[in-house]
Structures are given as structure tokens and as C-alpha cells.
Amino acid sequence: MNAIDNHLNDRQKEAVFCTEGPLLILAGAGSGKTRVLMHRIAYLIEERHINPYQIMAITFTNKAAKEMRERVDKLVGLDAQYVWVMTFHSSCVRILRREIERLNYSKDFSIYDTDDQKTLIKKVCKELGIDTKQIKERNALSLISAAKNELIGYEEFRQNATGYMEKKVADIYEAYQKALHQNNALDFDDLMLKTIVLFEKHPEVLAIYQNKFEYIHVDEYQDTNVIQYKLIKMLSEVHKNICIVGDDDQSIYSWRGACSDNIINFEKDYEDVEVIFLDQNYRSNSTILDAANAVIKNNTDRKDKALWSENKGGDKITVYSAANDKDETDDIAKKILDLKAQGIDYKDIAILYRANYLSRSMENSCMAFGIPYKLIGSLKFLQRQEIRDLLAYMNVIINRNDEFSLRRIINVPKRGIGASSMAKIDNYAEQYGLTLFEALKNIDMIDVSKKITTNIHLLTQLIEKYSQTEQYSIEDLIVGIYKDSGYESMLKESADTYAESRIENISELVSSAKQFSSMNDNLIDFISEMSLTSDADDENEDNSVVLSTVHAAKGLEYRVVFIMGLEENLFPSIRDAESSEDERNKMEEERRLAYVAITRAKEKLFMSYANRRMQFGSIKNNKRSRFLDEVPNKLMHFESGFGSAGNDIGESQLESVTKFISRLSPKIKITDKPKTDVRTNYAVGDIVVHKKFGEGKVLSIEKDSVKVDFEKVGPKILLIEYANLTRKE
């Protein structure tokens, strides 16, 4: 067993060797939980001689599952391939591909992503005569998704609906589900919901998988929602050898249905639960951990624990009090350049924020200072038009009932099929009770032009040709569709400046297919893999600073972390609290979010806030976040954008800085303030230069604004603080 338990601490070893019965591993941030899970699986296979086929390990992202798989492979070799190491969604897809015919679906069902869902909802609303200006697609989908994750079908949803909007959404929900079924398609939420329905309606199927999975492991258990909890509960009912790993202090997804009570109540759900704390942190130094512990201990709804590290000391946490949001992001950019000069790569630095809109100012500063950056959550590979088009072709090839995908490609490339021709095709299909594909097969019977008839024949022949999937490798099939459909000619002849980039993206898709088919040449599995890839699976392979929300950064780590925007009502943000209890719960989740942000840092941590911030078109004065006040002063080094030399300064001095700023607020009338602001280096009549508007003449200067007559765009009134005007000498 030496090969397996090497480098594990005593508590980690205890978790590895405790294999029988329910086990709760409370694993703090950076405590080596993945290492424990992998060694536990290896121990079961090599020492307990458990069949790998009987072991399941569930996590939330493909990236985490891939890492887990690779590490198990290294530990136990070829046997690892038989262990079910996958996400919740992937495991449900595998089960449904085998069993879904019992629910009156075929095994070649399509999986619709968010964009597909929105388009289908829009179509449904049009058919129902519902104005999407009144009920937005995303709002309807949000309510439907929440219902599914609470195991609420459209009948129960309708029964509980109150008010105009919910009743209309009930209509949408029913029509949406029927449209999905008609298209032999499932959305992401359906993957788990249909699995639960399958198990409930067919207990004999449930029994197969209960007996199969003798040992079940669930990572990040604090992030499970109602439906995920029920799925695991059902699967573990027979053997009860369930090992869950999580940290209630890192439960930050209540907004998408995650229930932190799942981990807190685990001991109530199972008898004779073994509880093991992993509290030694291997990621961060003691200064960072002491700060994180000091913040999170203010939460009451948690299991009492504190992380510790053998890595003692570390630099104090730098807290920067910025004059405004531009000052804040410029200071971060300057510090990043200093870190780069000290030998720290850009890719080892992350800038975290509570709200997505804060990235704009940070992006501007990165560009101004020549810092390469990468936004987590930007347009992903699989969301690009050309990739979605080719995947739609493949969906139709394996599932001709997928009307949605067929409609996407029917006129891509252009085949001359306008709205009137499409209406004729739809009417024919409805009249004879045909699917859209069957109607297209009978295009000779429909009153459309000869050109359209010819083009439709070519399309249906293409689909039928490549439906013989066993004759083609996945990469050959993609290339074949790309060429034979006319997509290649369309891009090569296009005047689109991004055409070359689109061709490169398709080349990358072919490369992905080739890599996938070296292990599995099943087209359905490939499409499933593509459909289940999420934003969180993106890796930062290039040497760029990462810009990310705290939510998106969970599970990641960096040598240096900047947490910006630490202001009340921004971080923490508890807007729309419905009661004092709701407010308390939201504040506790915000504090857990701060804890997650702090514990992403390995070596250095910088925190900042702006005393004045441009929000929704106006300047707002903000108090610094209470989370900063919860960190002991002895752990922090204070700096400010008001001429401070950077010495450690006390609370009283910080308060005086805030008071000074408040006196400059444009919302407060100050009668003795001169008309000309001392911060300007220009006067009325001077020629100034603006980054966007070019040259202009200063017409007037007020206490916080300047009026400039620009040569290109005419007179503009700008806020002095944000205008960045320079006088032309």
C-alpha cells in the first residue's frame, strides 16, 4: 500500500482506509481532497480488490472529472477505465442512452444548450400568442429550470402558479416540454430529471444501477441541489457505501438551486456516519488562511473548523483604498507589472470580482498598460456560430426528429428557402402528419421553385449519406459535411473578415474529433461530450492574467490574487432580500463567497475598494466592505490613492480618507469651492485631447465637469474624474 498512501497525512489516510458505510469528508480549501478521493479509489481496486466497474465518482465539471480520471489512471493503470468518473450530467446521459426508450424517447436524443432552449421558447411563445417583451425567454427558462431542479413537472407547476406571469409560464412549460419530446431532445435539466423519472417508473432499472455501484463518491457535495441529492440518495440506497466530500464554507450556488443543508444534514440522512475533517491546507500561507478563517467564523450556520498550514508567515495582505474605480484598476495594473518584473508570470495572477460588469474598467486598464488578459466566461469555442452549425448537422444525422437543429441548417449555407417556402413546407408536414425531415423528402410534392427543390434534395441526400455513421470516422464525417454541404465554399468565398478565423475553428473541431475518436469512435458519444462541455472547463493555457467572477474561479488557484470592488452593496451584495431571515442567509452566502475568493491565493493577496464608483451612469460613494473589517489589522498593509506613502495606517486614517472623499461628492453642495477644479491641468480656452473624441477646445469648467467643443463630435460635457483629458502643448 506504500505506493498509494505516500505523502498523505494521517487524516487523509484515515479517509482512504474508511471504505464501508457512509463517510463525510469535510475538506477545507486546498486540503488535498482530490488526492484523497483518487487514493481511496486506488485502494479499493488494488487492496480491497473491488471490481472497478462497481465504483462511481461524481463531480460537477468536465475539467474536474478529467483531472480525476488522469490521476486514477496513474495510480492503478488500465483498470481505471472501468470506473465511472464523470459529471452528474454525463452519468445521466450514459444511463439514458441505454434506458430512455422506456420513457418513449429514442436513444439518439439531442441535448439542447441554453441558446437552443431560448430559440425553442421563442417559437413556443409565438405559437401560444405570448408576447416575449412581457415575458422574457430567459425569465421563463429560469422558472422552468428552477422547477425541474425541484422535481416539479408542468402539471404541478400549473397547480401552484399564482399571478399572471406564473400562469403564462405554466403554459410555456407544458408546450416547451412537448416540443422537446417531439424533437426527441432533452435540455440540461432534463438529463437528471428524466433519470429520476426513469428510476421511479421502472424500479427494476434502478435496481440494476443500485447493485452496480457498490461504492459511490461525490465531490463538492455542498453544491448539490434537490435533484442531485435525490439521485445520489437513490443510487446509494442498497450498499450505503457513499463517500461525500465537501465544505459547507464554500457553498456559494444557492442562486442556482444548491442547498448547503445537504452536507450539514448528511449525518441525519444516513446511520452511523463517519466524519473526518481535512483542515490542513497545502495551498496558501498562514497569513492568507488566518484572514479567511477570521472572515468565515462570523457565519453561524456552519460546522466549526479552521484551516491551518505548515507554510507559516507570508506577506501582509495589501488593502488599497482607491479614489475611484479607474484609480483602483490602474493601481492593480501597475502592481501586476511590478509582479511581472519580479518573475511572476501573468498566468499565475487572477483578478476576481463579485459582478461581471466590473470587468470593463479592469479590461481598459489592462489594455492601457499592455497586460494580456483572459476573461473567464467570454464567448466559448462551442458557442461559436460555425461550430454550432456543424454540430446541428451531426444532430440531424443521428436524430432526424430533431426539427430544431434541422431548421438551423436548412438554409445554411443559403439554399434560397425564404419564409414563404418554409411556410409551404410546414403546411405540408402538418397536413399529412409528417416530421419536417419527412416533408423535405417529399419536396417534389410541394409548390416551391425548382432551385429550392434541387437544393433540398441535395440536403436530404447529404443527411442520408452520412447517416451510415459506421462507414466514417468522426473527423471524416465532419470534413465531409463541411465540404459537401457547401459550408467550405461559403466561408472561402465570404467577404466576412472573420471567415479565416471560422475556418480555423472548424479545423480545431476536426482535431478534437480526431483526439476523441482515438479512444471512442461513437458519434453519439462525441456529440454528448461536446454538448456537456461548460464554461468552467476552460483552461488558462496562454500566459495571460485571468479576469473572473468569484463564482467562476471556484476550484482554481493562483500564486497571486487581486479581489477588487470590496464595497458594501457590491461585495457583499444582498439586494432583493425578502425578509430578515432571507437577508441573513444571503449575507452568510456572501461571506462564503469572500472566503472562496481569499482562499484562491497561494502566495500573495491584494484587496481593494473604490470610494467613488461609476454605477449605472452616476457616481456613487461607497463604504468599504464589512469583510475587510473582519480581517485583523495586523494581517494587512494599507495603501491609498490619496498620496499615502504606503505605511500601515490605522482605521481612523482610513475613515478620514473616506470623509475627505465624501466632501468632494457632486451630490453635496459646497458653496466655498472654487469654480475651477485644482485637479485639472488645463483652463478655459485650452486645446485638450480625449482618447475617443480627439481634439477639442475647453468651453467651461465646473466643480466636477468640463464642457469641450470637439472638432469631430461637437460639444460634450464630461466628468473631470473620468475624462482623462490632456492639454495639447
Side-chain angles (χ1 to χ4, degrees):
M1 188 57 205
N2 290 335
I4 293 177
D5 65 9
N6 194 26
H7 305 306
L8 297 180
N9 64 40
D10 289 343
R11 288 191 177 179
Q12 289 174 329
K13 290 177 184 176
E14 186 183 353
V16 168
F17 300 146
C18 181
T19 60
E20 305 307 302
L23 172 64
L24 167 58
I25 303 175
L26 283 167
S31 61
K33 61 181 177 65
T34 304
R35 184 194 307 168
V36 169
L37 278 179
M38 299 308 93
H39 281 80
R40 193 174 191 273
I41 292 170
Y43 176 71
L44 285 168
I45 295 170
E46 294 206 335
E47 298 296 320
R48 295 288 317 285
H49 305 295
I50 303 298
N51 188 333
Y53 184 76
Q54 294 180 292
I55 302 172
M56 178 185 231
I58 298 292
T59 188
F60 277 83
T61 68
N62 288 309
K63 181 181 177 182
K66 182 183 177 185
E67 180 187 353
M68 209 178 280
R69 165 71 64 194
E70 289 172 349
R71 292 173 70 170
V72 173
D73 284 349
K74 286 181 181 177
L75 287 172
V76 301
L78 290 175
D79 283 344
Q81 64 183 305
Y82 301 109
V83 180
W84 275 43
V85 182
M86 56 189 71
T87 65
F88 277 100
H89 289 102
S90 296
S91 60
C92 288
V93 168
R94 182 176 288 193
I95 292 169
L96 292 173
R97 290 289 186 205
R98 297 175 179 178
E99 315 288 350
I100 200 170
E101 288 178 342
R102 300 170 190 263
L103 299 180
N104 199 27
Y105 287 79
S106 64
K107 294 178 180 180
D108 55 4
F109 60 86
S110 301
I111 302 171
Y112 284 3
D113 65 12
T114 304
D115 287 340
D116 297 333
Q117 289 175 268
K118 286 179 181 176
T119 305
L120 187 57
I121 287 283
K122 189 178 290 184
K123 180 175 180 289
V124 164
C125 287
K126 185 178 179 181
E127 292 172 351
L128 294 173
I130 295 173
D131 188 355
T132 52
K133 291 180 181 177
Q134 290 185 332
I135 300 177
K136 302 286 187 187
E137 297 98 315
R138 65 177 180 273
N139 294 339
L141 276 172
S142 179
L143 287 171
I144 293 169
S145 178
K148 288 183 179 182
N149 283 304
E150 293 285 337
L151 295 169
I152 298 171
Y154 60 77
E155 298 97 338
E156 186 180 350
F157 188 94
R158 187 183 302 281
Q159 291 171 5
N160 298 329
T162 58
Y164 173 81
M165 181 174 177
E166 285 190 5
K167 289 178 180 177
K168 286 295 181 184
V169 171
D171 294 336
I172 295 169
Y173 188 180
E174 180 177 359
Y176 171 71
Q177 285 303 116
K178 289 178 177 178
L180 282 171
H181 192 214
Q182 187 179 352
N183 288 306
N184 192 37
L186 305 178
D187 64 19
F188 268 38
D189 296 317
D190 280 334
L191 296 175
M192 281 188 287
L193 180 61
K194 294 298 182 185
T195 304
I196 297 287
V197 171
L198 173 72
F199 287 164
E200 288 179 336
K201 287 188 173 181
H202 299 277
E204 73 280 8
V205 177
L206 172 61
I208 292 170
Y209 292 94
Q210 284 177 328
N211 288 314
K212 170 180 166 56
F213 298 122
E214 189 173 346
Y215 295 88
I216 297 173
H217 305 76
V218 186
D219 195 11
E220 304 287 4
Y221 194 75
Q222 77 280 346
D223 294 334
T224 54
N225 58 22
V226 170
I227 197 167
Q228 290 162 341
Y229 164 82
K230 182 164 184 175
L231 180 67
I232 294 300
K233 193 82 165 57
M234 293 173 86
L235 287 173
S236 62
E237 199 64 40
V238 171
H239 298 291
K240 299 188 187 313
N241 296 324
I242 176 168
C243 168
I244 68 162
V245 184
D247 182 6
D248 54 318
D249 288 335
Q250 296 187 72
S251 179
I252 59 174
Y253 294 114
S254 66
W255 51 276
R256 69 182 190 196
C259 182
S260 60
D261 288 346
N262 287 349
I263 194 167
I264 294 171
N265 295 331
F266 184 77
E267 293 169 82
K268 298 176 185 176
D269 292 334
Y270 295 87
E271 295 180 358
D272 301 321
V273 175
E274 189 78 25
V275 181
I276 297 174
F277 285 85
L278 301 184
D279 54 3
Q280 183 176 354
N281 178 284
Y282 293 92
R283 176 187 299 155
S284 310
N285 59 49
S286 60
T287 299
I288 292 168
L289 290 181
D290 288 349
N293 289 331
V295 171
I296 199 64
K297 75 177 184 181
N298 291 281
N299 274 3
T300 56
D301 191 15
R302 63 185 290 268
K303 292 182 177 289
D304 189 31
K305 55 189 177 298
L307 292 176
W308 61 278
S309 173
E310 290 182 344
N311 183 11
K312 302 298 181 185
D315 295 340
K316 285 187 175 185
I317 299 164
T318 298
V319 178
Y320 185 71
S321 173
N324 54 55
D325 43 342
K326 184 178 183 305
D327 177 32
E328 179 185 34
T329 56
D330 280 356
D331 182 75
I332 293 172
K334 291 171 186 174
K335 284 184 168 71
I336 289 172
L337 292 178
D338 289 342
L339 291 165
K340 186 71 168 63
Q342 296 168 29
I344 296 176
D345 286 337
Y346 288 130
K347 64 181 172 57
D348 293 323
I349 302 170
I351 305 165
L352 308 182
Y353 35 81
R354 175 65 178 85
N356 260 312
Y357 74 86
L358 293 176
S359 72
R360 181 192 59 81
S361 179
M362 194 66 247
E363 286 185 75
N364 289 342
S365 292
C366 284
M367 287 187 286
F369 285 84
I371 297 170
Y373 67 91
K374 174 177 179 175
L375 269 171
I376 292 183
S378 58
L379 189 64
K380 299 295 184 282
F381 179 74
L382 295 172
Q383 295 171 331
R384 293 166 183 163
Q385 177 184 325
E386 60 276 9
I387 304 302
R388 291 173 60 80
D389 287 342
L390 288 180
L391 286 176
Y393 269 100
M394 287 186 277
N395 274 330
V396 175
I397 282 168
I398 64 170
N399 175 18
R400 295 183 189 179
N401 289 331
D402 187 353
E403 183 179 315
F404 178 81
S405 293
L406 183 53
R407 288 184 185 277
R408 180 182 182 96
I409 61 163
I410 196 167
N411 209 32
V412 180
K414 297 290 185 186
R415 297 186 174 95
I417 307 169
S420 61
S421 299
M422 201 66 234
K424 290 177 181 178
I425 296 169
D426 285 336
N427 289 336
Y428 182 86
E430 187 175 349
Q431 183 181 350
Y432 293 99
L434 304 175
T435 66
L436 180 58
F437 185 81
E438 289 169 339
L440 295 180
K441 286 282 293 176
N442 291 332
I443 194 65
D444 291 320
M445 308 298 293
I446 303 173
D447 182 23
V448 295
S449 71
K450 187 176 180 180
K451 179 184 177 183
I452 292 176
T453 301
T454 301
N455 286 338
I456 292 294
H457 277 309
L458 290 171
L459 175 63
T460 56
Q461 287 166 12
L462 171 84
I463 292 167
E464 289 180 331
K465 174 184 176 182
Y466 290 107
S467 294
Q468 309 299 316
T469 56
E470 67 281 355
Q471 298 181 15
Y472 306 94
S473 65
I474 302 172
E475 63 265 31
D476 287 342
L477 188 143
I478 295 171
V479 172
I481 293 169
Y482 175 55
K483 291 179 178 292
D484 294 350
S485 66
Y487 211 102
E488 180 185 38
S489 300
M490 178 186 75
L491 288 181
K492 288 185 173 179
E493 295 167 10
S494 172
D496 183 357
T497 54
Y498 297 102
E500 190 64 35
S501 175
R502 298 187 194 284
I503 292 171
E504 290 172 356
N505 289 334
I506 291 169
S507 176
E508 180 61 28
L509 180 66
V510 174
S511 299
S512 299
K514 193 168 185 176
Q515 186 179 14
F516 181 89
S517 62
S518 65
M519 301 173 289
N520 180 356
D521 206 27
N522 186 293
L523 181 62
I524 292 177
D525 289 348
F526 175 72
I527 293 173
S528 296
E529 179 95 357
M530 294 291 101
S531 301
L532 294 171
T533 301
S534 67
D535 290 356
D537 302 318
D538 265 16
E539 297 187 38
N540 184 40
E541 295 178 349
D542 56 341
N543 193 19
S544 302
V545 172
V546 170
L547 274 61
S548 171
T549 62
V550 182
H551 283 102
K554 188 172 179 292
L556 305 176
E557 60 182 39
Y558 303 90
R559 288 181 65 184
V560 182
V561 169
F562 291 84
I563 308 173
M564 58 179 287
L566 279 159
E567 299 142 35
E568 289 291 302
N569 301 317
L570 184 54
F571 196 1
S573 172
I574 55 170
R575 290 175 297 176
D576 305 322
E578 296 175 355
S579 64
S580 58
E581 180 65 18
D582 186 36
E583 182 177 323
R584 188 190 73 85
N585 290 338
K586 285 186 174 181
M587 183 56 71
E588 294 225 336
E589 176 146 341
E590 289 293 304
R591 190 170 280 110
R592 293 195 293 270
L593 195 60
Y595 175 82
V596 167
I598 293 169
T599 54
R600 299 311 94 197
K602 298 166 69 174
E603 299 174 14
K604 295 179 183 290
L605 178 62
F606 298 84
M607 304 165 98
S608 60
Y609 62 98
N611 288 277
R612 289 155 60 100
R613 183 178 297 280
M614 178 72 78
Q615 289 177 275
F616 308 108
S618 62
I619 295 176
K620 295 186 178 180
N621 295 331
N622 297 318
K623 293 182 179 179
R624 73 178 198 166
S625 171
R626 69 188 69 191
F627 301 147
L628 287 170
D629 297 329
E630 291 171 358
V631 178
N633 268 3
K634 66 180 183 181
L635 300 177
M636 298 188 289
H637 165 77
F638 298 96
E639 297 177 356
S640 82
F642 306 95
S644 166
N647 299 318
D648 293 352
I649 60 177
E651 185 67 24
S652 60
Q653 190 171 343
L654 283 172
E655 287 178 349
S656 70
V657 167
T658 303
K659 288 176 182 176
F660 171 73
I661 283 295
S662 69
R663 290 199 299 270
L664 298 181
S665 171
K667 296 181 181 180
I668 300 174
K669 293 182 180 180
I670 302 172
T671 55
D672 60 346
K673 189 164 174 51
K675 291 285 282 184
T676 301
D677 196 314
V678 295
R679 290 172 294 171
T680 64
N681 65 345
Y682 46 84
V684 174
D686 284 347
I687 302 298
V688 293
V689 180
H690 186 272
K691 186 176 179 180
K692 180 178 180 181
F693 302 133
E695 290 186 13
K697 184 178 181 180
V698 178
L699 300 179
S700 64
I701 302 176
E702 303 296 332
K703 65 183 183 210
D704 66 336
S705 63
V706 56
K707 187 174 184 180
V708 184
D709 186 12
F710 292 102
E711 292 178 2
K712 294 181 180 177
V713 295
K716 293 278 185 184
I717 298 175
L718 306 171
L719 290 170
I720 292 172
E721 195 166 358
Y722 295 89
N724 285 334
L725 296 173
T726 55
R727 186 177 64 180
K728 189 174 182 181
E729 302 295 339

